[in-house]
Amino acid sequence: MSDNTNTLFNGKEVWWSDPENKTSGAYKVLEIKRNPDDPDEGLYDDTIVLISNGVSEAEVEAWELQDLGLRRKRIEEFVNRITAIAEDDDWSVHNHSENYDKVDLYLSKYSNADQDFGFYVECETGDADEFINAVEGYYNSYDPYEEAALWIDPDGHGKNGAPDDLKDLIADMEECKGNVKGLIDLLRQELKGIKIVKQTYHSQYSERVYNIRTEVIESIFYTIKDICEQTQTCSILWDDITGHENPDICYEKDSGPSSVLPDTIGLTDDDKGFYITFASYCDAPSSNDGENIYTETLIDILEYLENYRSTL
């Protein structure tokens, strides 16, 4: 609360974030422990303040406290912004923190198979990076196959209104995960000004291309996984994959297409995706699951990977 330290007074409502994350919440200032030798001295960031939530008390330094009213106003504005962005993409948003003490939202969206898919997002503050990271965390942990398994009856068909055919059921779960990725892209664009490479809405033609891209990305992942299992590694050198040809590939940057040289291809730490790193001189961040790489280029990469696997 360094910007507002001098606004503290006995009885003021503040927010304290407990470092142990056990008793974070709204408090009232009971006492500001000023220098007894100079009671009129101003407040400093390290001034000790006694606070209470009606159940327990704590002595904290002034910088640890936030003005409760300002905090709630900031979070309310952030929640309203998130709601507007999500609703424009056909998501429904339910706020579970009526006082706006924190960001606590449930986001839901119907799939084409009429699944009412949804998930919760909780954040301590109204910070864009924190919120996007929380949604990304859910996206990375969501496994369409594990989710589909919860909706399969003993005969191997969908139950409780889920698609009867197992293939359709898995496709429905993959669509839901794709919807979350679309929301992440939209949040990045609206909150961070980051360009969306892949279209959020597709024409009939581009929808077919998108489906092909999804299939290629999935094939790349399983091919990499197979290679890593056979070689007992978690990454492969592009030099080995291409038989020392080392061709450049086309990479999408904000400034437009760029020719870059891959360095390594491997599995992510959670073993649920893949990444491609590039030579240091290329000035290109790693590509996760094919992001910023054109579909035709991904098809070429898949062909190199399959040819390399056939030599093992």
Side-chain angles (χ1 to χ4, degrees), residues 38-189:
D38 188 2
D40 296 325
E41 182 182 53
L43 279 75
Y44 299 96
D45 286 349
D46 60 356
T47 298
I48 300 299
V49 181
L50 176 64
I51 57 175
S52 171
N53 61 6
V55 177
S56 61
E57 297 180 355
E59 288 188 342
V60 302
E61 294 186 349
W63 69 267
E64 299 179 64
L65 303 175
Q66 300 176 46
D67 183 297
L68 185 59
L70 292 176
R71 173 190 170 87
R72 285 175 171 169
K73 181 180 179 182
R74 183 172 61 250
I75 291 178
E76 181 179 7
E77 291 173 348
F78 182 76
V79 167
N80 290 340
R81 179 71 174 131
I82 293 296
T83 300
I85 294 171
E87 288 181 347
D88 281 345
D89 194 34
D90 296 326
W91 290 84
S92 295
V93 182
H94 182 74
N95 174 34
H96 285 271
S97 181
E98 295 181 358
N99 290 329
Y100 298 101
D101 286 334
K102 62 179 180 178
V103 178
D104 186 0
L105 302 178
Y106 180 75
L107 298 96
S108 61
K109 182 176 184 177
Y110 280 95
S111 69
N112 288 329
D114 208 32
Q115 178 188 169
D116 187 10
F117 168 83
F119 62 100
Y120 292 92
V121 183
E122 290 189 21
C123 298
E124 181 72 15
T125 66
D127 177 77
D129 286 330
E130 182 187 18
F131 186 84
I132 292 173
N133 288 341
V135 178
E136 284 186 320
Y138 175 79
Y139 171 80
N140 291 331
S141 67
Y142 182 86
D143 187 330
Y145 295 93
E146 288 183 2
E147 190 67 24
L150 302 176
W151 295 85
I152 300 174
D153 64 20
D155 297 325
H157 298 284
K159 62 181 180 180
N160 298 332
D164 183 69
D165 189 280
L166 180 57
K167 182 179 179 181
D168 293 336
L169 175 58
I170 293 174
D172 185 46
M173 299 304 174
E174 289 178 334
E175 179 194 342
C176 291
K177 182 166 186 175
N179 287 339
V180 178
K181 181 61 168 64
L183 178 61
I184 292 171
D185 287 342
L186 196 57
L187 290 169
R188 284 174 172 167
Q189 175 176 269

Side-chain angles (χ1 to χ4, degrees), residues 241-269:
I241 294 171
T242 65
H244 311 298
E245 293 179 11
N246 284 327
D248 288 355
I249 66 171
C250 198
Y251 185 94
E252 172 80 7
K253 294 184 178 181
D254 288 341
S255 57
S258 178
S259 182
V260 296
L261 176 65
D263 183 21
T264 58
I265 298 179
L267 297 174
T268 55
D269 291 340

